[in-house]
C-alpha cells in the first residue's frame, strides 16, 4: 500500500505529545477490522482503517468539495491538549479557537479535541472543581451546532495517561473507537458526494469534451480508496465497470459511433510490453493515463494488472487465470477493431510477455495449492504461450532447417526495439530478457521451444486433457523431424495415430501416417516405411496427389532390391466375395474371388496367392486380429517357482519365489509381426502348409486395377467342408505384402443335417392369444444360403416369417385358440429346407419340426373382505406380458357348486359394456357383493371368466379371447361385532369428551363413531379416561350353535406405546343370554398428544383359539382419539 493513498488526518496542538503516541495510534487503528454502516441500504462491511498523520495547515484545507481530491483531502482533524488549567487559559485557548474557527468557516464537521489527563492532575482538578476538559466543553460545546444534541460532545474526549502504551486499556480503546467512528462518518459523507459527482461525469460521456482517461482517474481513485481499507471486492467492481465501459466504447466506435478521444488509441504503437506487476512500470503507465497519452496496450495492461493485484489479495488464482485468457483475446480483438498499426509479430510478443508474467504470478500460489489444481489453473496459459512462441519462430525464420532472410532479420530487430529491458527479480531472467534471447538465436529458440512444449504437454496430460496434449505432441514431432531427430518424433507420432484412428479424425490420421512414413524412412525401418506409405496410398480421404506420391515411393522402393515383408490389415486389398464352381469331370473346384484394390494406380504383381483355412462358425479374421493385437499389447504370464536356501551362516533357512521365465517377460516383441505366412508357392497348384487342413492357391504374373477385380483360382481335389480365405499375399519385386482379410467364407457340401434352434424374443416365454416374436438360428453345411420356410400343422396357429441375416430367421407366432385356461399348451412348428446338390447328387427337401410351449398371459388371485355382516369378493387380474397392454371386458363370477345356501353374487364393476386396460407390471381388481340366506361352512366353488385381446393401438376388433378358470372361495360369516370407544374421564382430571358422528343418532354399537377429543386442564396434570369395549352377537342375523358361539370367551388387550393401561389386560368375557351382548371397561392414560388409535383387543373362543378372519368385525378399528395439550 502506497503511503500517499492512505487517508489524511491532520494534527494540531501539542505536537510533542502526538509524536510520542503516533506509532501506537497507527498500530491501534489497523489492529482490528471495524464495521462500516454504509448508506442507501448497502450491507455492513468490515474495513481495516489506517491513516497518514500530517501537521495541520490552514492553507491546505479544501475550500469546496473536489471529486479529484478524494485521496488528497483530510478526512479528520485532531487537536491535542496536554496542560493544566492556567496554561490552557494563557496559551492554548487562543490557538484552539483559531483552529476551530478555521474549520467552522469552511463547514468542516470532522474534527476531534483530545484532552490528556494525568493521574497527578486529577487531585488538583477535584480541589479546583474544574478541569481543562470541562473548560473546553463549556466554551466550545454550545458552538458545536452542526451535530444533534445527543452528539454534542463527540468532538471532545479525555485521554487518560497515554504514556502507558497499553493498547487494550480503557483509555486507548475509547480514543481509538472515537477516531474510527469519526473517520467512518467522514467516509460515508465523502463517498456519497463522490459517487454523485462520478455519476454526473459518467452521464456526460456523450459530450465532445469528455475523455475516458479523465473519468478513469476519477473512478480509479474510488477503487484505490476501497483498496486502502481492504474492501478488495468493491475495488475490483470499479475496475470491472471501467473495463466494460471502455470495451463498449470500442465496439461502438467500430460500428460508426466515433469518439474523438478514442482516435489516439488507434495510432501506431511504439511498444508492445505485456502486463507487468512491477510498481514502477504501473506508476509510469498511470502517469500516461492521467496525462491522456496512453496507447491501447498501456491502458489495458495497467487495468488488468490492477485487477490481478486485487485477485491476489482475494486469493483467487482460478479467477485470475480465467480472466487472463479472456483479457488476451479481448485485447487482440480491440486492436483489430481500432486498426492499430503494429509490425508483424508485435501482438505475439505482447501475448508472450503477458503469459510469462501471469505464470510467474501463479507460481506464488504453487506452494499451498495441490499440483493438479495448479495445473488446471495454468494449462491454458501454457498452451497460449506455446502457440505464440511457435508463431514467432515461423515469422522470424528460427525454425530448424531454415535460415533467416534479410526481411526476417529486420523483423527481429523491429520486434526487439519495442521491448524494454525490464528489471531482474529473484536472480532470474525477466520475460523481456527471455524473449530477446529467444528472438536473437535459432539455437536458443529451438531449446526453449522444446522445453516449453514438453512442459505444456505434461501439464495437459496431468489434468487428463489427453487429446490436446497429443495434438501438441504431433506438432513437436514435426519439429523433431525438421531437426533431423526422428527417434524423438516416432513416439509422438504413434501416440497421435492411435488417438486419431480411434476418434475417426481422418484428415489428421492421413497426415500422421504420412509423417510416420517419412520418419521411418529417416530411421531406415523399411517394413514400417512401406506399411505407412501403403496406409496413405490406400486411404480414401487422402488427396489424389498425396496417394499417387506415396504409391511412387512404394514402387521406387520395390526396385531398390531391398527385401521387405509387410503385413497390413485390410489395407491395400479387400476381399468382397468368394464363390465356388464345381467341375465333376475333373474333380476340381474353381474359386471366383472378387477383391477391391484400394491403391490409386494399377499394379503389376509377380505372384498373388490365397491362404485357405477351415472355417469356424462365428469366427472371423478380424476377431483373430483383435485377439492377437490384444495379446501383443499385454504382458506375458509370470511363472513362479518356490526355492529353498539352507546355506545360511546362522543355520536359518531362506525361502521365496523365483521367476523362471524372465527372458519371456523382457524380450522385445516386434510390432510388425507377420504371423503365419504362405510358403513354397507355384502357379495354379495347391501346396500344403504347416497344417494339413490348410490349402494355398495362387496366380502368377498379373495386374490389379484400382477398384473391383475378379480373379479365378483353381483348386485340385478339394476337401469337403466349410472354408474361408484367411490371407492374401501379393509379391512385387522385393516386397511381400500380406493382407489379413475378414469374411471370404465358402462351403463344400457334407452330409451333416441342418440344425435349428428357436430362441425367444422380448418375452422369456410364449403366450396364448398374443403375438410372439421368435428367432430361429439356422446352422447347416448343406444349405445354399436360403433360409427355410416356416409352417404349422395346426389350424389354430398363425406364422409370419421374415429374414434378418443369412443365419437368422425372425417369425411372428400367434396361437389362435379362442378358449384359454391357465394350463399351458404345446404347439408344433415345422421348418422346410432346400438342400444344395453335392456335385452330381440331386437336391432334396428336409423338414425339421420344433415344439413351442405357450402359456396363459394373465393370472388371478381372490380375496374375501368383510364390512359388518356383509361379504365382498375381490378378483385381482395380473399381466405376465412385458411391454404390451391388454384390453379386458365382460368379467364374470358364477357359482358352480350346487347347494341350498342360496348364494348370489352382485357385480360392482360398472356397466356391462365397460372396457379396461391392463398395463404391464400392474393389476386390475373386480368386486362382487355376496348374498346368502344360510350359514356356509365349506369352500365355495366358483367360475371366473373374462374376455381379452392384446392392445396394439386405440382401435379394437371383435377378435377377443375368452379366459376362464375355477376359483375356490372360503367364506366365513360374521359372528360378532366389536365396538371400542372412550366413555368418560376420571374426576381427578376433568376431561372434555366429544364424538364425531354421522347425521343419524349413534348408539353404543354404531359404527359411525369416528373419534373422541380429550382436553385436560393442563398438560402437566395426569389425564385418565375409560375405554369401553362392547361385543354384540350376530345371532339375530345368522343363528348358529357351536364352539365358536360359546357363552364365554377370553380377551386380551394388546400393549400400545401411546397409552398406559391400568388393571389386567387379560380376562373372560361373558355374553348376556338375552341381549347377546357384553361390555368390558379399562382405564387408560395417554402418553402423548395428537390423534391416537385405541389399544387393540384380541378375542378367543372358549377353547382359547383365535377366531378366523371375518368372524369378529372390529367396528372401531380406524377410530382415533384426539389428545390436546391446550387448556380447555
Amino acid at each position: 500500500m502506497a503511503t500517499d493513498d492512505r487517508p489524511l488526518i491532520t494534527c494540531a496542538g501539542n505536537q510533542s505529545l502526538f509524536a510520542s503516541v503516533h506509532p501506537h495510534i497507527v498500530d491501534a487503528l489497523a489492529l482490528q477490522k471495524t464495521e462500516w454502516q454504509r448508506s442507501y441500504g448497502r450491507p455492513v462491511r468490515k474495513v481495516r482503517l489506517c491513516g497518514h498523520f500530517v501537521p495541520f495547515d490552514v492553507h491546505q484545507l479544501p475550500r469546496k468539495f473536489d471529486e479529484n481530491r478524494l485521496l488528497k483531502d483530510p478526512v479528520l482533524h485532531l487537536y491535542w491538549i496536554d496542560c493544566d488549567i492556567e496554561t490552557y487559559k494563557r496559551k492554548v485557548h487562543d490557538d484552539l479557537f483559531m483552529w476551530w474557527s478555521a474549520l467552522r468557516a469552511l463547514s468542516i464537521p470532522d474534527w476531534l479535541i483530545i484532552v490528556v489527563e494525568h493521574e497527578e492532575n486529577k487531585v488538583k482538578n477535584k480541589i479546583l472543581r474544574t478541569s481543562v476538559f470541562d473548560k473546553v466543553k463549556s466554551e466550545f460545546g454550545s458552538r458545536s451546532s452542526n451535530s444533534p444534541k445527543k452528539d454534542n460532545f463527540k468532538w471532545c474526549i479525555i485521554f487518560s495517561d497515554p504514556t502507558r502504551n497499553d493498547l487494550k486499556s480503557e483509555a486507548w480503546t475509547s480514543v481509538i473507537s472515537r477516531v474510527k467512528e469519526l473517520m467512518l462518518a467522514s467516509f460515508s459523507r465523502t463517498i456519497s458526494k463522490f459517487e454523485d459527482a462520478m455519476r454526473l461525469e459518467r452521464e456526460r460521456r456523450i459530450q465532445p469534451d469528455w475523455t475516458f482517461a479523465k473519468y478513469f482517474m476519477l473512478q480509479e481513485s474510488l477503487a484505490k480508496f476501497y483498496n486502502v481499507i481492504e474492501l478488495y471486492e468493491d475495488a475490483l467492481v470499479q475496475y470491472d465497470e471501467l473495463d466494460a465501459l471502455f470495451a463498449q466504447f470500442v465496439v461502438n466506435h467500430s460500428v460508426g459511433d466515433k469518439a474523438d478521444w478514442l482516435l489516439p488509441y488507434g495510432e501506431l504503437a511504439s511498444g508492445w510490453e505485456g502486463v507487468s506487476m512491477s510498481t514502477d512500470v504501473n506508476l509510469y503507465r498511470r502517469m500516461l493515463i492521467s496525462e491522456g497519452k496512453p496507447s491501447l496496450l498501456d491502458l489495458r495492461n495497467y487495468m488488468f494488472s490492477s485487477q490481478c493485484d486485487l485477485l491476489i489479495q482475494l486469493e483467487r488464482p482460478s479467477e485470475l487465470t480465467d480472466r487472463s485468457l479472456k483479457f488476451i483475446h479481448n485485447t487482440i480483438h480491440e486492436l483489430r477493431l481500432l486498426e492499430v498499426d503494429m509490425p508483424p509479430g508485435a501482438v505475439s510478443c505482447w501475448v508472450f510477455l503477458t503469459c510469462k508474467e501471469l505464470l510467474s504470478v501463479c507460481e506464488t500460489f504453487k506452494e499451498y495449492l495441490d499440483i493438479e489444481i495448479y495445473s488446471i489453473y495454468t494449462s491454458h496459459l501454457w498452451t497460449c504461450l506455446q502457440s505464440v512462441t511457435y508463431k514467432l519462430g515461423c515469422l522470424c525464420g528460427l525454425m530448424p532447417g531454415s535460415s533467416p532472410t534479410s526481411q526476417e532479420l529486420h523483423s527481429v530487430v523491429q520486434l526487439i526495439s519495442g521491448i524494454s529491458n525490464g528489471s531482474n527479480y529473484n536472480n532470474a531472467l525477466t520475460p523481456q530478457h527471455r524473449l530477446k534471447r529467444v528472438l536473437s538465436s535459432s539455437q536458443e529458440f529451438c531449446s526453449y521451444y522444446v522445453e516449453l512444449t514438453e512442459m505444456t504437454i505434461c501439464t495437459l496430460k496431468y489434468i487428463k486433457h489427453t487429446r490436446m496434449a497429443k495434438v501438441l505432441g504431433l506438432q513437436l514431432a514435426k519439429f523433431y523431424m525438421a531437426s533431423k531427430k526422428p527417434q524423438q518424433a516416432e513416439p509422438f507420432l504413434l501416440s497421435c495415430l492411435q488417438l486419431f484412428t480411434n476418434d475417426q479424425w481422418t484428415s489428421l490420421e492421413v497426415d500422421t501416417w504420412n509423417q510416420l512414413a517419412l520418419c521411418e524412412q529417416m530411421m531406415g525401418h523399411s517394413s514400417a516405411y512401406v506399411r505407412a506409405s501403403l496406409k496413405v496410398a490406400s486411404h480414401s480421404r487422402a488427396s489424389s496427389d498425396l496417394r499417387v506420391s506415396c504409391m511412387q515411393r512404394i514402387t521406387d522402393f520395390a526396385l531398390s532390391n531391398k527385401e521387405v515383408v509387410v503385413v497390413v490389415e485390410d489395407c491395400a486389398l479387400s476381399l468382397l466375395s468368394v464363390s465356388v464352381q464345381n467341375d465333376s469331370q475333373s474333380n476340381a473346384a474353381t474359386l471366383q474371388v472378387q477383391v477391391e484394390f484400394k491403391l490409386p494406380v494399377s499394379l503389376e504383381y509377380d505372384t498373388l496367392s490365397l491362404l485357405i483355412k477351415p472355417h469356424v462358425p462365428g469366427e472371423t479374421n478380424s476377431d483373430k486380429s483383435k485377439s492377437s493385437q490384444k495379446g501383443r499389447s499385454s504382458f506375458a504370464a509370470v511363472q513362479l517357482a518356490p526355492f529353498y536356501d539352507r546355506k545360511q551362516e546362522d543355520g536359518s533357512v531362506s525361502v521365496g519365489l523365483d521367476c523362471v521365465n524372465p527372458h519371456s517377460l523382457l524380450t522385445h516383441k516386434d510390432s510388425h509381426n507377420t504371423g503365419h505366412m504362405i510358403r513354397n508357392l507355384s502357379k495354379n497348384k495347391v501346396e500344403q502348409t504347416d497344417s494339413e487342413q490348410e490349402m494355398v492357391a495362387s496366380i502368377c504374373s498379373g495386374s490389379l486395377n484400382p477398384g473391383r477385380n475378379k480373379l479365378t483360382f483353381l483348386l485340385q481335389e478339394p476337401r469337403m467342408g466349410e472354408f474361408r480365405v484367411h490371407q492374401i499375399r501379393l509379391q512385387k519385386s522385393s516386397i511381400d505384402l500380406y493382407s489379413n482379410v475378414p469374411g471370404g467364407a465358402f462351403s463344400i457340401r457334407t452330409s451333416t443335417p441342418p440344425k435349428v434352434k428357436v430362441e425367444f424374443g422380448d418375452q422369456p416365454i410364449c403366450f396364448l392369444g398374443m403375438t410372439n416374436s421368435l428367432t430361429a438360428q439356422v446352422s447347416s453345411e448343406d444349405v445354399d444360403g436360403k433360409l427355410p420356410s416356416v409352417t404349422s400343422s395346426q389350424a389354430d396357429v398363425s406364422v409370419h416369417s421374415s429374414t434378418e441375416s443369412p443365419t437368422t430367421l425372425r417369425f411372428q407366432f400367434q396361437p389362435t385358440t379362442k378358449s384359454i385356461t391357465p394350463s399351458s399348451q404345446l404347439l408344433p412348428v415345422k421348418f422346410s429346407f432346400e438342400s444344395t446338390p453335392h456335385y452330381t447328387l440331386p437336391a432334396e427337401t428336409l423338414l425339421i419340426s420344433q415344439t413351442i410351449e405357450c402359456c396363459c398371459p394373465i393370472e388371478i388371485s381372490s380375496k374375501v373382505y368383510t364390512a359388518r355382516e356383509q361379504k365382498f369378493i375381490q378378483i385381482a387380474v395380473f399381466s405376465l406380458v412385458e411391454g404390451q397392454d391388454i384390453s379386458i371386458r365382460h368379467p364374470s363370477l358364477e357359482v358352480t357348486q350346487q347347494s341350498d345356501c342360496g348364494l348370489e353374487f352382485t357385480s360392482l364393476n360398472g356397466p356391462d359394456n365397460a372396457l379396461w386396460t391392463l398395463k404391464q407390471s400392474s393389476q386390475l381388481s373386480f368386486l362382487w357383493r355376496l348374498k346368502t340366506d344360510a350359514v356356509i361352512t365349506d369352500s365355495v366353488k366358483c367360475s371366473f371368466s373374462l374376455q381379452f385381446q392384446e392392445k396394439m393401438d386405440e382401435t379394437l376388433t371383435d377378435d377377443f379371447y375368452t379366459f376362464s378358470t375355477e376359483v375356490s372361495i372360503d367364506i366365513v360369516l360374521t359372528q360378532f361385532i366389536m365396538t371400542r370407544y372412550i366413555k368418560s374421564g376420571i374426576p381427578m382430571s376433568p376431561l372434555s369428551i366429544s364424538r364425531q358422528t354421522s347425521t343419524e343418532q349413534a348408539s353404543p354399537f354404531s359404527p359411525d363413531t369416528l373419534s373422541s377429543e380429550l382436553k385436560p386442564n393442563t398438560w402437566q396434570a395426569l389425564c385418565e379416561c375409560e375405554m369401553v369395549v362392547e361385543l354384540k352377537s350376530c345371532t339375530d342375523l345368522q343363528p348358529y350353535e357351536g364352539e365358536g358361539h360359546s357363552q364365554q370367551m377370553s380377551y386380551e388387550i394388546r400393549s400400545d406405546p401411546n397409552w398406559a393401561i391400568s388393571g389386567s389386560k387379560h380376562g373372560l368375557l361373558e355374553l348376556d343370554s338375552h341381549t347377546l351382548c357384553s361390555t368390558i371397561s379399562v382405564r387408560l392414560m395417554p402418553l402423548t398428544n395428537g390423534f391416537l388409535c385405541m389399544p387393540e383387543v384380541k378375542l378367543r373362543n372358549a377353547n382359547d383359539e383365535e377366531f378366523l378372519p371375518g368372524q369378529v368385525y372390529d367396528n372401531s378399528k380406524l377410530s382415533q382419539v384426539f389428545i390436546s395439550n391446550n387448556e380447555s
Side-chain angles (χ1 to χ4, degrees), residues 386-457:
Q386 188 272 343
S387 176
V388 296
T389 305
Y390 180 81
K391 292 180 181 178
L392 287 173
C394 295
L395 178 67
C396 301
L398 301 174
M399 299 299 289
S402 63
S403 57
T405 63
S406 59
Q407 181 63 33
E408 291 170 344
L409 292 175
H410 177 72
S411 298
V412 171
V413 174
Q414 191 176 16
L415 292 176
I416 293 178
S417 65
I419 305 173
S420 65
N421 293 327
S423 56
N424 289 329
Y425 53 96
N426 297 332
N427 296 324
L429 286 177
T430 63
Q432 292 83 356
H433 284 96
R434 168 63 72 180
L435 180 57
K436 288 182 178 181
R437 292 180 59 176
V438 167
L439 295 177
S440 302
S441 170
S442 176
Q443 183 178 0
E444 186 74 21
F445 169 81
C446 293
S447 175
Y448 180 74
Y449 176 78
V450 171
E451 176 186 353
L452 177 61
T453 306
E454 290 180 348
M455 181 64 185
T456 306
I457 292 174

Side-chain angles (χ1 to χ4, degrees), residues 1062-1076:
S1062 302
S1064 177
K1065 301 180 182 178
H1066 306 270
L1068 295 177
L1069 188 148
E1070 185 172 356
L1071 297 176
D1072 187 270
S1073 60
H1074 299 287
T1075 62
L1076 295 180

Side-chain angles (χ1 to χ4, degrees), residues 181-199:
E181 180 182 357
L182 294 176
M183 288 180 68
L184 293 176
S186 176
F187 288 166
S188 299
R189 285 191 298 272
T190 305
I191 293 302
S192 178
K193 294 179 182 180
F194 181 83
E195 288 178 342
D196 292 339
M198 188 176 67
R199 193 177 301 109

